[in-house]
Each structure stands twice: as structure tokens, then as C-alpha cells.
Amino acid sequence: MNLPAAVCGIAIGLALVMVNSLAQALEAEPVKAWDALEWSPLRLETRITPDKVRAYKDAHDEELATIAYLFALPAFMQYRQRFQFLSYLDRSGVADPLGQFMLLRHPATPQSPDVFPNVDTLYGAAFLELLEQPMVLTVPDIPGRYFSLALLDAYFYNFDYIGSRTTGQGAGAYLLVGPDWSGNVPTGIDRVIRSPTGSMHIYQRIHFGGVDDIREVTRLQDHIRLTPLARFLSPQGSTQSPDLATYMTLNPLAVDDPLQVLAIANRHMTQNPPPLQDRTLVATFEHLGVGPGRRVPVDEAARRLLRRGATRAQQIMASLWLGERRSDSGWRVTAPVAGKRGGVGGVALHAMHQLRYIGINVPAETVYLTATNDAAGQPLTGGRRYLIHFPANELPPIQPDKHGFWSVTMYDAERSSLVVNPAKKYAVRSADPLKFSEDGSLTLHIQPEPPGDPVLRANWLPSPGAGEIVLMLRIYLGKDDVVAGRYSPPAVHLLP
């Protein structure tokens, strides 16, 4: 990401949130007919009363409070997820939980706590504090299947990937260092990867073909390892375990006020100063008490201002989620800048993405399309029968040489969880033994009961007897049209 692109993203993000607040501040003034002779880009209004000056400033500060909350929210989310991770491993008696993978050994179920979990890959996650010590990530040969290790900074931006798309299927050793590290690169390291922040985390995803493939995937999980640099250089190397209390002082699970969110985000930003391309933006709202080294103010008027900004930020995120761009057939399409720093939508879009799809991949890795309505615009509802018909030339375009794949997964619309069903079948996957028609087309059946023809059961996605549902089409390593957001899946059709 270069600086001009980041500045462009900041400008667009500012514009997104500033218009309504300024309009509200001025709406009490008499509406005058437009007079081009009275307006000039070089004119600065100076004959205004002190009350009006204060009104202008208050309106501007509320705009900045909105931007501050949008910027701070992903930092809070990263702190929160790390807190949950460390709490779980600490309770489990794991020594030195920072720098170790927590591995999920089984596919997600309706009881999984994650929002919109996938049933395509087994997950692993690790949190690192690179200012404490650099780490070496070693990966074995992983032939014949998709895998990825997404590297995310303290603000939930993906800054690098190791895996099928970027480094291929072969083994490798990668030195992970903090933003200011300047040591010597030892023999045996394939690449040095510099994190923009001292805190970072890794999401590990390995594709499994079916239940009988799980054992092999767990074996691969066990051979993806993190080692402190000193221990990599010598088995007797001295390492220092970070003090967990440093990262768990504030409890993010008990917040009930946006000011608490900002206080936790401030602590996280202090430990992880924003990268250079974000600092100009942060400097615009630091005077409100949000940013690295800042404290949430005690003055009640200032606190009310921050709460109003948080409320406005939540409204903006809701509008971005509900107003996500739709394909020609009605599927919502995640933005081409998802998971990346900068770009159209800026901090507002990034904050919304972390609320809806925490840790979202960049589109070059995975594109997520969601359907909440059928072809007629009616909400998808349990108890009804639907189908999705893919003509032979409209199947999700993937990169088979890099082991790309796709799946359609069903979720409960209210809880964003997998849907309970007797068959315990939560997705239709390209890895399944799907039944294609003679012309190469594929029809998926979305309904409570299985199709009458047993051969079609692989094409069946069980739905509940009632309640609204969401379908998510994931395309891993899609071709250019997918990554650019030009691919439009067929609509979901209600059957009589």
C-alpha cells in the first residue's frame, strides 16, 4: 500500500461520515436560493457570531468522533480476540500461550461461537508479540490441497500471506519481525516478513476433502510451527515469556459503553502505534481523547460527544452492511478492498467488515457472496424449497492449478450460526461428489427434506422448518472476474 492510495482512502472515509453531521448543524439556518455570486472556493466566512463558531466546531468534532470510533473498533476487536485466546489457553494450562497455535481439530458445528464459520477448512490461530521476540514460522510440504496462513496486524488488516496462492505448496521457513527490527537474518530462512505493528496474529486454514480427510489435515497442522528466533538458532537459546497480564489488564468481554471500547482501543493503540500511513488520520481526532497515549476524557460534554460519534458510527456500519453492492442476481458482494488497508470506503468499511466477517480474507484469497433474498426479492425462509441452477459456463470460476474451490453454506439469519439439521450437513462443497447434468450444469436443492433421488443428496443443502436464513458462497482462489467482483452467481429461485 503506498501513501497516495492511503491518503485517498482517508479522504473518502472522511467524506463518507461528514456530510450528514454538517447538514444537521446548519439546518436551522434559513434556506437561501443558490447564488453563484455569493460563493467562491477562495472565500472564508468570517462575519459569524461566537455561537455559530461553536456550533461549527461542535459539528466538526462530532464528525471526528465518528471517524475515531470507526478507526478504533478494529483495534478493540483485535484486543478482544487476543484476550479470549489467551484466557482459553491459560485456563487450559498451556505454558507460554503467546506464539503457539490454538488448533481446531474438527469442522465447525451449529454450536461454534464464531460468526459465519466455514466448513471448508480446519482453522488454527496464533497471537504473537514481536517486540518481545522475533518468531520463525516453519511450514511443511502441503501437496494437493489449498492452505493459507494469513498474517494480520493489530488493526485486523492482512499484510501478507503464506500458502497456495503466494508461496506454493512447498516447505518454507519465514522470519516474522516487528516494525523496527534490524537484526541479522540467519541461515535457513526463506524470507523475512515485517509486521506493521508489534502485535500480530495468524489465521491458519487448511482445506479438507471430507470427514475421512480430517486426520491428514490435523497431521499437517501439527507440522506448522512457531519457534522463537533464539530457539531456532540454538535449541538451548534463551527466550523470555511475555507477561500475560500486560495484555489482559482490561476486560473487553464486559463492555457496555462505547467509552469502554475506546479506552481499550487506546491501550491497544499505545502498545501498537498506527503505521505511518494511518497517522495523519489519527492526528485529526487525537484531541478528542482517542489514539495512542490518549485517555478518554472525564469531562461530561466531551464524553457525550464521543458517545454520539459511536452511535453515528454504528449507523454508518449498518448502512454499509445493508447497502453492500449486489450482483445482477441479487447476491451481496464484499468490496474488492476487504481486509486491506486503504481504498474506497476507508475505515468505515473496514470496521463493518470486522463486525460481520472478523478476520476476513482479501479477495485475491477468498471472495464471500451472501444471499438473503430469493429472485423475487423475498427473504429466504426455512420450510420452503429453493434451487440454485448453475449453467455449465456459470460455475464459480476458480484456479484449479492452485487448488481453488468453492462452497455454499447456510446460516441462521439472526444468530449468524450454522443451521441445525438432522443430516448434520451444513454446506454443499465443490469437494463433494456432486451430481452434474449431462450438459455440465449443476442444480443445488435447498429444502428441509432430502431430494427423492438419492443420487442428488450431495447437491442438497438442508434448511430448517422456519426462520430466515442466509446463504454464503465462498470462492477460494477465484479467477480475475471473481476477485474484481464481476462474477454474478445464479439467483436463488423459490419453488412452488
Side-chain angles (χ1 to χ4, degrees), residues 95-101 127-138 173-177 181 184 186-187 189 202 224-242:
D96 301 335
L98 279 168
Q100 294 196 39
F101 278 108
F127 284 77
L128 312 181
E129 294 301 326
L130 297 177
L131 299 185
E132 301 277 355
Q133 55 189 355
M135 300 291 288
V136 177
L137 172 62
T138 52
Y174 306 91
L175 178 59
L176 309 179
V177 301
W181 184 83
N184 295 319
T187 302
I189 295 297
I202 304 173
I224 298 174
R225 294 174 181 148
L226 286 161
T227 308
L229 177 59
R231 195 70 53 79
F232 179 82
L233 295 171
S234 169
Q236 289 75 42
S238 175
T239 62
Q240 183 174 359
S241 300

Side-chain angles (χ1 to χ4, degrees), residues 325-333 367 369-370 388-391 393-397 473 475 479-492:
R325 186 174 70 82
R326 293 180 183 266
S327 70
D328 294 340
S329 53
W331 291 77
R332 286 179 180 159
V333 184
V367 166
L369 301 103
T370 56
I388 306 174
H389 178 74
F390 292 90
N393 62 346
E394 293 184 23
L395 288 166
L473 169 60
I475 307 176
K479 292 185 177 179
D480 290 346
D481 280 352
V482 173
V483 175
R486 293 189 296 266
Y487 172 68
S488 180
V492 183

Side-chain angles (χ1 to χ4, degrees), residues 61-144:
D61 280 347
E62 188 168 326
E63 295 156 3
L64 295 178
T66 301
I67 298 167
Y69 188 86
L70 291 168
F71 184 87
L73 184 61
F76 166 80
M77 299 285 285
Q78 210 266 359
Y79 183 101
R80 184 179 189 275
Q81 192 169 83
R82 185 182 62 185
F83 184 95
Q84 291 174 303
F85 176 90
L86 295 178
S87 298
Y88 174 80
L89 290 184
D90 193 41
R91 288 196 308 270
S92 303
V94 175
D96 301 335
L98 279 168
Q100 294 196 39
F101 278 108
M102 181 175 72
L103 301 172
L104 300 183
R105 303 296 203 172
H106 303 282
T109 70
Q111 287 72 47
S112 298
D114 302 315
V115 174
F116 295 123
N118 85 49
V119 287
D120 305 305
T121 67
L122 291 192
Y123 271 106
F127 284 77
L128 312 181
E129 294 301 326
L130 297 177
L131 299 185
E132 301 277 355
Q133 55 189 355
M135 300 291 288
V136 177
L137 172 62
T138 52
V139 179
D141 287 324
I142 303 182

Side-chain angles (χ1 to χ4, degrees), residues 144-485:
R145 72 174 73 239
Y146 168 87
F147 82 99
S148 69
L149 294 152
L151 311 183
L152 298 94
D153 70 11
Y155 298 86
F156 262 119
Y157 288 108
N158 295 280
F159 65 87
D160 213 330
Y161 277 85
I162 295 164
S164 301
R165 175 176 64 90
T166 54
T167 57
Q169 308 303 127
Y174 306 91
L175 178 59
L176 309 179
V177 301
D180 301 319
W181 184 83
S182 59
N184 295 319
V185 180
T187 302
I189 295 297
D190 294 293
R191 185 157 67 96
V192 176
I193 300 176
R194 190 177 299 275
S195 171
T197 55
S199 298
M200 63 158 288
H201 60 285
I202 304 173
Y203 283 145
Q204 176 191 133
R205 299 173 175 95
I206 307 178
H207 185 227
F208 62 88
V211 175
D212 56 351
D213 194 29
I214 297 295
R215 178 176 293 182
E216 173 60 14
V217 174
T218 58
R219 184 190 71 81
L220 292 170
Q221 286 180 319
D222 289 335
H223 285 81
I224 298 174
R225 294 174 181 148
L226 286 161
T227 308
L229 177 59
R231 195 70 53 79
F232 179 82
L233 295 171
S234 169
Q236 289 75 42
S238 175
T239 62
Q240 183 174 359
S241 300
D243 181 7
L244 295 189
T246 304
Y247 307 103
M248 302 179 71
T249 305
L250 303 174
N251 184 357
L253 307 182
V255 299
D256 57 6
D257 187 315
L259 299 183
Q260 294 171 317
V261 170
L262 295 174
I264 291 172
N266 280 351
R267 182 176 184 84
H268 196 57
M269 287 189 274
T270 301
Q271 295 172 336
N272 295 277
L276 179 63
Q277 56 264 52
D278 291 339
R279 291 179 191 170
T280 299
L281 175 62
V282 174
T284 65
F285 55 69
E286 282 182 322
H287 68 283
L288 300 178
V290 181
R294 300 291 169 163
R295 291 181 178 273
V296 173
V298 296
D299 175 71
E300 193 53 42
R303 292 166 74 87
R304 285 197 300 270
L305 174 74
L306 289 175
R307 289 191 179 102
R308 290 198 303 272
T311 299
R312 178 70 180 129
Q314 289 181 318
Q315 294 168 352
I316 289 170
M317 288 186 286
S319 72
L320 290 172
W321 160 243
L322 296 174
E324 271 192 320
R325 186 174 70 82
R326 293 180 183 266
S327 70
D328 294 340
S329 53
W331 291 77
R332 286 179 180 159
V333 184
T334 49
V337 297
K340 298 189 289 187
R341 179 174 268 104
V344 176
V347 296
L349 193 64
H350 182 61
M352 183 277 285
H353 280 151
Q354 297 314 315
L355 278 185
R356 294 300 301 178
Y357 323 99
I358 190 167
I360 187 172
N361 268 324
V362 299
E365 199 72 29
T366 315
V367 166
Y368 309 80
L369 301 103
T370 56
T372 55
N373 298 87
D374 62 23
Q378 297 303 306
L380 298 177
T381 307
R384 297 177 179 176
R385 297 168 60 239
Y386 301 93
L387 63 79
I388 306 174
H389 178 74
F390 292 90
N393 62 346
E394 293 184 23
L395 288 166
I398 56 174
Q399 301 179 60
D401 58 317
K402 294 187 177 180
H403 310 290
F405 64 94
W406 60 266
S407 66
V408 178
T409 309
M410 180 182 296
Y411 300 96
D412 179 290
E414 183 177 349
R415 299 189 302 122
S416 304
S417 62
L418 297 170
V419 172
V420 175
N421 66 82
K424 297 183 178 179
K425 188 174 190 288
Y426 310 114
V428 174
R429 312 162 70 230
S430 59
D432 296 340
L434 302 174
K435 176 63 176 176
F436 289 81
S437 300
E438 291 184 3
D439 62 1
S441 64
L442 176 68
T443 301
L444 306 187
H445 302 268
I446 302 157
Q447 56 194 45
E449 70 285 346
D453 184 351
V455 175
L456 295 176
R457 293 202 174 192
N459 300 17
W460 170 48
L461 184 53
S463 61
E468 292 188 9
I469 57 175
V470 175
L471 299 178
M472 183 176 291
L473 169 60
R474 289 178 172 87
I475 307 176
Y476 288 77
L477 302 191
K479 292 185 177 179
D480 290 346
D481 280 352
V482 173
V483 175

